Amino acid sequence: MARNPVLLISFFIAVAISILFLSHYFIYFSLAHFFALTGRRKLVLGVILFLLPASFIAASILARRMDNPAGRAIYFGSALWLGVGLTLVVAFALAWAALGAARLAALRPPLAVLGMSATALALMYAAYGVWNARHPRVQHLTVKIKNLPPAWQGKTVVQISDVHLGHILGASFLQSLVEESNAQKREAVFITGDLFDGADGRLEQLVAPLDSLVAPRGVYFITGNHETYLGVERALAALEKTKVKILNDEMLTLDGLEIIGIAYPQRGENKDLAEVAKRLGHDPERPSILLYHSPAQTERAKAAGINLQLAGHTHYGQIFPFQFVTWRVFGKYYRGLHVEGDYTLYTSSGAGTWGPAMRTGNRPEIAVINLQIASAE
């Protein structure tokens, strides 16, 4: 039986909203229990924690209709609360576990102390997450490629992924990434999708810093899923006014190295990476780099003779404990470097944030990849 996509989307939205409100009920119940709240204080807390999840839904709609500092500030605050709220859920789960263990040991710890400890822990961890999100690191790695041409041996490329320019991160954040990239000895820069987030206007202003990127062999971009949400045509129209070369299911050969850029599928579209690469003229005997936003179809890419696949998309979970969700969806490929024979995949944790401007349990990054020739065995 064919699945109705509208019903599926409605189901997932309903599940997400239910989880959102249930998590806030858990925070409400925990705060009321550990701090012995009663009467009016308990009622006020309940009202606030009912309105907070609804505020994010409202702010997401408002930010698209009111693209100005006030709208962005409201969106920033409501989105940030989601990250803080998730951190509070984890902290109070630990507090309940500690309380249960103490009672099994016939101990009676002060509930207020447990509550204050959980709250303080969550707020400090969230504050670190906000700082961490604004300070991407440079991740250096080396990748060996079979038959790498002499012109590329020992050369470096930069991967920038998942910047999410929009309501929170703007041109100044992108400028900092450009400056960091320019500080590296790079031959080319690859932007592997989700450059944009949900901003309806100002797209040309947001991407203007890309013209400051310096790369002798060029700057290349492929779309991610968020470009499809925003509107691929609008995203590409903004980028066409910059020096960036858009690879929309295209391949080019630079000094003997194939650069294959495959766009993220739009709604209702399916893509077989191996078939698209073959249609574009990919030769399995030639060294190649595949740019595709998601760390997917790895076996197909490997079978097609791809040497290096660069991906992003997962954010390495962005906020703890979502690492376990991305691991469940993408398996071992959800983060980092994977070398399997002549095939290598690197999944970047990304430079920006989606939703809450927080990163806990991981670091944002730009990847600096040194290319070396694989020795014959």
Side-chain angles (χ1 to χ4, degrees):
M1 180 182 295
R3 295 180 178 180
N4 187 322
V6 175
L7 290 178
L8 282 175
I9 292 172
S10 300
F11 171 75
F12 284 120
I13 291 175
V15 170
I17 292 175
S18 298
I19 292 173
L20 186 62
F21 278 91
L22 285 173
S23 64
H24 279 73
Y25 177 77
F26 175 74
I27 296 172
Y28 160 77
F29 180 80
S30 299
L31 286 170
H33 181 80
F34 284 104
F35 292 102
L37 300 180
T38 58
R40 187 173 181 179
R41 290 190 299 170
K42 188 175 181 180
L43 176 62
V44 170
L45 176 67
V47 171
I48 292 173
L49 287 174
F50 175 80
L51 293 176
L52 280 171
S55 73
F56 176 71
I57 299 171
S60 299
I61 298 170
L62 178 65
R64 296 185 69 88
R65 298 176 179 269
M66 194 172 73
D67 188 20
N68 56 37
R72 292 193 289 274
I74 293 170
Y75 178 83
F76 173 83
S78 61
L80 180 61
W81 165 253
L82 289 187
V84 174
L86 177 61
T87 308
L88 280 168
V89 168
V90 174
F92 276 117
L94 292 175
W96 281 105
L99 179 61
R103 287 181 173 173
L104 286 174
L107 299 175
R108 297 287 177 180
L111 293 180
V113 172
L114 280 176
M116 286 187 289
S117 299
T119 304
L121 176 65
L123 294 179
M124 287 189 293
Y125 196 41
Y128 159 75
V130 172
W131 175 88
N132 184 42
R134 286 283 183 169
H135 294 82
R137 66 175 178 175
V138 175
Q139 175 70 17
H140 292 274
L141 56 148
T142 297
V143 172
K144 295 182 178 181
I145 295 179
K146 183 181 69 172
N147 299 327
L148 186 68
W152 285 95
Q153 292 175 20
K155 302 299 183 180
T156 295
V157 299
V158 168
Q159 180 195 10
I160 299 174
S161 193
D162 299 273
V163 182
H164 288 277
L165 300 173
H167 301 308
I168 295 177
L169 298 174
S172 61
F173 181 74
L174 179 59
Q175 182 62 42
S176 69
L177 299 179
V178 168
E179 292 172 359
E180 193 65 72
S181 174
N182 287 344
Q184 313 303 319
K185 294 181 179 180
R186 76 260 136 236
E187 288 296 309
V189 176
F190 301 126
I191 304 173
T192 51
D194 282 7
L195 178 63
F196 297 101
D197 197 7
D200 281 339
R202 308 177 299 116
L203 299 187
E204 292 81 4
Q205 298 174 35
L206 288 173
V207 298
L210 292 176
D211 278 331
S212 301
L213 271 173
V214 179
R217 287 187 170 92
V219 180
Y220 304 92
F221 169 82
I222 54 151
T223 59
N225 55 301
H226 277 262
E227 277 76 39
T228 68
Y229 307 152
L230 175 66
V232 171
E233 294 77 12
R234 297 186 61 242
L236 298 189
L239 285 170
E240 284 169 354
K241 298 178 181 179
T242 71
K243 68 194 297 182
V244 172
K245 168 66 176 175
I246 299 164
L247 296 180
N248 189 8
D249 290 357
E250 297 177 53
M251 185 188 84
L252 51 85
T253 302
L254 300 176
D255 292 327
L257 178 63
E258 293 182 352
I259 310 297
I260 306 166
I262 299 181
Y264 196 83
Q266 299 200 49
R267 184 175 299 175
E269 181 184 17
N270 292 309
K271 285 187 175 180
D272 183 310
L273 298 188
E275 289 183 2
V276 175
K278 182 179 180 181
R279 173 169 54 82
L280 296 177
H282 164 59
D283 183 349
E285 298 303 316
R286 288 203 299 260
S288 57
I289 297 178
L290 170 66
L291 311 178
Y292 186 66
H293 179 61
S294 175
Q297 300 189 45
T298 54
E299 291 302 320
R300 297 290 295 152
K302 191 188 309 181
I306 296 297
N307 296 120
L308 171 60
Q309 180 176 347
L310 298 179
H313 187 54
T314 69
H315 292 213
Y316 190 4
Q318 186 171 322
I319 298 176
F320 182 85
F322 278 117
Q323 288 89 336
F324 298 106
V325 176
T326 53
W327 168 77
R328 185 70 182 85
V329 173
F330 294 99
K332 64 181 180 179
Y333 301 116
Y334 81 113
R335 65 173 288 261
L337 187 67
H338 302 271
V339 180
E340 299 173 1
D342 293 330
Y343 169 79
T344 299
L345 167 72
Y346 185 68
T347 304
S348 171
S349 64
T353 57
W354 176 80
M358 284 176 55
R359 274 188 178 258
T360 54
N362 57 75
R363 291 286 302 274
E365 67 176 29
I366 66 171
V368 178
I369 305 166
N370 182 257
L371 303 178
Q372 298 287 342
I373 187 168
S375 58
E377 294 184 358

